[in-house]
Amino acid sequence: MRDESVLKKFSALYVEDNKLMRDSIGRIIRRRFGEVYIAENGKEGLELYIKYKPNIVITDVEMPVMDGITMIKKIRAVKETQSIIITTAYEDDEHTDSSCVNLIKPVEAERLIDAIFECLGCGR
Amino acid sequence: MKRIGVRLTLGYVSILLILGCIIIFSIYRVNYQRTLNEKMRNHPFAVTRAIMNINMKLTDLHQGIHYLIRADDRIVIDESIAKITEADYEICSNFSLLSERFLGDKKLLSDAINAYQIYKHTNNEIIRLKKAGDKIDEDILISTEQQTDDIKQSMKKMSDFALYKYEYYLNELSHVRNNTINYLYLLFIIAIIVCSILSYIITRSIVVPVSSLITASQEISKGNLDCLVAINSYDELGQLENIFDKMVKNLKGLHDELKLHSEIIKNMSEGIALIRVADGIIVYSNPKFDKMFGYDTKELYGKHVSILNAPTDTSPEEVSEKIISSLHSKGMWEGEVYNIKKDGTLFWCNASVAEFDHQEYGHVWVSIHTDISKRKETERLFYYYMDNIDAYVYIKDTDSNYIFINKKTEELFNITREDLKIRKYTDYDFFDKEMAKQLIANDLHIMKLGKNMDIDEVGTVEGYQNTILQSGYRYYLALKFPYYNETGNVIGVCGFSYDITERKNLETALRKQEETIRNMLNILPVGIWIQDKEGKITQANPIAQEIWSGVKYVGVEQFGEYNAWRTTDGKKIEAEEWTGARAILKGETTINEELEIECFDGTHKIILCSSIPLRDVNNEIYGVVSCNQDITDLKNTEKKLRIERDKLTTILDIMNAGIYIVNKNYNVEYVNPLLTREIGENDNKLCFNYMYGKTEPCPWCKLKEVISGETVHWYWHYDKLNKTYQRYDAPIKSEDGSISKIAIFHDITELLNLQKTLKRELDFQTAFAKISEALLDSKLNRYDISKIVYEEALGLTNSSHGYVSIIEESSGDNVAVNLTDMMDKSCAVAKAEQTVRFPRGPHGYNALWGHSLNTGEAFYTNTPSKHPAFMKCTPTGHASIARFLSVPALIGNKVTGQIALANPVNDYTDSDLEIVKRLASIYAIALERKRMEEEIIELNIGLAQKISAEIKMRMHNEQLLIQQTKMATMGEMLNSIAHQWRQPLNAINIVVYDIKDAQDYGELTSEYLNNSAKTIVEQTDFMSKTIDDFRNFMRPSKEKAMFELKSVITQLISMFSPFFIKNSISINLISADEEFNVYGYANEFKHVVLNLTNNSRDAILLRREKGIKDIKDRVDISICRDNGKTIVSISDTGAGIPEDIIDKVFDSHFTTKSADKGTGIGLYMSKTIIESNMGWKLTVRNIDGGAEFRIEI
């Protein structure tokens, strides 16, 4: 069992349009991270990102107002090495880029946390 | 500064201001000195005086004290006391003055006062003591002394201060005075300088322009008008300069004008002279005047004016007197004077004289003379001319007042021209009221029209007081015309009136005579023309006008206007060639010259034209009478007849028929060229002789029947020419009334031949038709065909025997199934079998029958025994062969059969051979076809079996394909379900994890758990609903029912949109906000729409594969109504369908996709469902940037 308390010194941005997912996963992340910022769409997410510069960004792809890909592009314009976890419903490679990890929906919480660790390079 | 006043005022005010300043300064300084004086008086003087007073009084007081002290006596005491009191009073008042005026240290004063108070107190003590009679202590005296000194001491100090102050003031005063004087000097100097400068500037600004004005004025006075003053300012002087300049300009203008006038006067065409009123002496004359009178320049100066007047009835002096008296009374005179030149020539002048005051000459007459000699002469000429005209000449003004009448009119009106100047005369003065009114009306009319006018005016029977028209009607021919002034306005009317009464009477008599003649001419049935002496046409009677459709009353030289041609030679009649012209010019009489004329309406007529010159007693020609007779109708009839005759002859000549006429005596009267060409010239032969060279009538002659009135229609074969004619023999009336025969021959030989050929051709066609029919009949075989050919061949050639055979392929034998019954019973060929086999030998076929088979050539012979192939081997009983014809049936070079014929009535001809050859060629084809047909039938049987097997296999494949399609749809469905479930499954997963997580973090409560459970139930419900939707979708519709297109499509989109979104394709429903209810199988419809949208998606992906990606791809499903139909259109932004395959996309098994992607059954099934099951229509077309499927409901 890894020590999840190391995450407490990190901050995270979670962007998801589905309320149920946002609430549930939001809770799970919030329990572990020091600071968690939650947004409903890419636009909000970008604003929060610029404001708080979180250590990790977890985002859905298909969202209203601004989709995840656009948001990621803009975030990368700000910080190229930003660690990002993408949760996507599609199994294709379309959304894959240099961002840290692609998670295929359905997102399992365990896998998400694994991905977080992987991205932050905290090891197991 | 604009105005001098302002400028001056400012200058003066400045000077006054400077002076004022000096005065104020002086006053101020004086005042200051006075103040200082005042101060001196107030303080040092007053204080010094007061101190002196105090000191003096103090001395008095002190003395009084002393007296008092020493006094014994009461009186003395009292006196002393009074003295003391008085002194005290004085001292006190001086102290009070001091306290007012003293400016120094107030302590000094108070010290002095205090000292005095002490002293006073001591004094008072002394007084009290003395009054009391007490003894006064010596010490007191000493103290008083002491006190007095103190006071004096204090006073001294004050006095010193006052003195000091005095000195100070004095110094100040002298200092101030000195300063003041110095300042004043300085100020005066400055003031004088400033004032001088100001004065200079102001004075200069006035003096400069004034002096320039003065200079200019001097120049002008010298006569130089070109000098102008430069304007430098806008003040009064500037204005003055401006006005001055204007004045100069005006003056210059006037000067120039004067010069001009002077030039004008010198050069003007009127002569001008100034005559002194006082003595009538000429003082000035212009060059024209001198010239007019023939004097040298200035020669007339000083001469009396009467030298100019011509000596007429009245002496020059008298004329002068008359003018002068008029001038005296009226101030001017104008009129015409008869003058004399220096050389004595007399001439008329128009002179106008006016009085004028001349600066130099005093009272003068200005006389302007114009030489009017020419005008006078013209006037005289005019009057002379007018007076000698034998007509009434007059001019009236616009009010019809006479302003001129000639002598004859003067006589008529019994007035003179001079009378017209005395009073106004109008026509009312000379004619009766009605007449005058009419005349004036005429005048007004002319003036109004502005045109010349000829008017017949009739005088009345009434008498006139002052005319010579005393009785009876008088006729006048008046020529009146408007009288224009130079500007072109009508100012009156001019008139000439001739008395034409006599002429009128004569005319009336003549007119009557003429009328009689005219009436006579009018009733003549021919056209009559009358020419006058000059040859001019003066009359044409109605018939003449009718002939020509009009008339032109012209002279000989214009006779050319009458167009005519001589009928004899067609030559145009020139003007002088007319009979009338010749009559008048040469005195020729012409009778009935025939002419073709062109009437004035353009029609052509033939006339007979005659002319006779009319001669008077002296045999002089005074006119011509011409006569025209219209013979057009006559001529036309004649012409028509001739034409008809010519026509008939032409017809007879050119007719493609022979015609001849024979009379009852067999004499040939006419033979037309055609018949002449065929039979030969007829040299008065009798008909039978001509035709046949016979000596008696032919037995078939129809002459008798024809003569009796019958028309015979018959055919005649003319042996001589071997021609057959169709003949019409008809009676014809001769000139003498007897009946002849006209026979029309129509050569029908060719026709008959043609008919024969045609019949054969028709028979051949019939044969061909029969063969064709047989060929198509599958029941008939080759031998049936040969039988038909056999019958037709016999018929076509009129042969009595023959056979038609087929070469048996296996043996090469010639087998005839059909043959005529030409053999006897003894013949070896059995009739019953109707089959005969001609065997093929090793060297081909035998005898005459085999010849054509051997050679492959058709032939005939009418003498078979002489034919090289004749073998004399006819079987026993065989009919003898008289004529023989044989034709092989060939396919290429291969002989497949034969037609053999024999023994017709007549010989065989080439045409027989030809027709049989044609028949044989058809026979060959027919045989070949039949043979092939038989082969095909055999083949077909095998083929049918193969096909049915193939069909079975295909149907099986189709089943498989449909199954595959269904499976593919199922797969798609499963994908959809999987996608739809992914979200809820994920949610459940997360919620479950969250429960565990909450527990780990100690957050789990029963409420938390309840919420989570609720969420999970919601998700599973959603999943359950999804699976229901898909199950419904998969279930085939049981029966047709109403469904709503929009809701169905919306549902479909919600189920399958993820597959489009996944590929970044938007799928949209576009429709109006209304319901589209249709009747059909809803689920099947959904399948079709799904199929089509999938197709669209594939098309888009295909296009992307080709590399075209920068398009916002979309699939639009639109519902609309069009012409009562509901249209569901599925359009995409895909690759479109290539035009070469667009017609095939709905075909079964047609696909452009690779085998793993498409079965080619989808669109086929869609079309089947829509069109066969629902009865709707499914079409496809390419649209701009994609394809569109349309379902028409």
Side-chain angles (χ1 to χ4, degrees), chain B residues 85-124:
Chain B
T85 310
E86 193 194 327
D88 179 50
Y89 177 74
E90 282 287 326
I91 289 165
C92 283
S93 66
N94 273 311
F95 267 121
S96 67
L97 186 77
L98 270 179
S99 65
E100 263 175 44
R101 299 278 177 91
F102 186 65
L103 294 173
D105 195 350
K106 290 288 177 192
K107 198 174 173 288
L108 290 175
L109 185 61
S110 64
D111 283 352
I113 291 170
N114 284 343
Y116 175 70
Q117 287 299 335
I118 294 164
Y119 175 63
K120 198 179 171 184
H121 182 74
T122 313
N123 286 351
N124 285 346

Side-chain angles (χ1 to χ4, degrees), chain B residues 269-273 275 282 284-297 299-300 304-310 337-351 367-372:
Chain B
S269 61
E270 282 85 11
I272 294 174
I275 300 137
I282 294 167
Y284 171 82
S285 64
N286 73 343
K288 179 72 189 179
F289 194 86
D290 297 334
K291 202 177 160 195
M292 197 184 287
F293 284 89
Y295 289 91
D296 292 336
T297 312
E299 197 183 343
L300 279 166
H304 193 265
V305 68
S306 61
I307 193 172
L308 304 172
N309 291 348
V337 284
Y338 207 34
N339 285 341
I340 184 164
K341 292 191 183 181
K342 192 184 176 188
D343 59 7
T345 318
L346 299 175
F347 71 106
W348 277 98
C349 268
N350 190 321
S367 173
I368 302 168
H369 277 67
T370 318
D371 187 345
I372 54 163

Side-chain angles (χ1 to χ4, degrees), chain A residues 7-32:
Chain A
L7 296 177
K8 278 290 175 195
K9 63 184 177 191
F10 292 110
S11 56
L13 169 64
Y14 178 50
V15 191
E16 167 67 61
D17 62 323
N18 184 303
K19 189 178 183 300
L20 181 64
M21 294 293 285
R22 195 167 66 235
D23 290 352
S24 304
I25 296 197
R27 271 202 299 275
I28 290 162
I29 298 169
R30 210 176 260 132
R31 286 182 189 123
R32 285 160 177 81

Side-chain angles (χ1 to χ4, degrees), chain B residues 474-475 499-508:
Chain B
R474 302 300 294 178
Y475 288 96
D499 188 341
I500 52 163
T501 315
E502 286 303 316
R503 210 175 77 196
K504 274 270 172 186
N505 290 343
L506 209 66
E507 272 176 12
T508 312

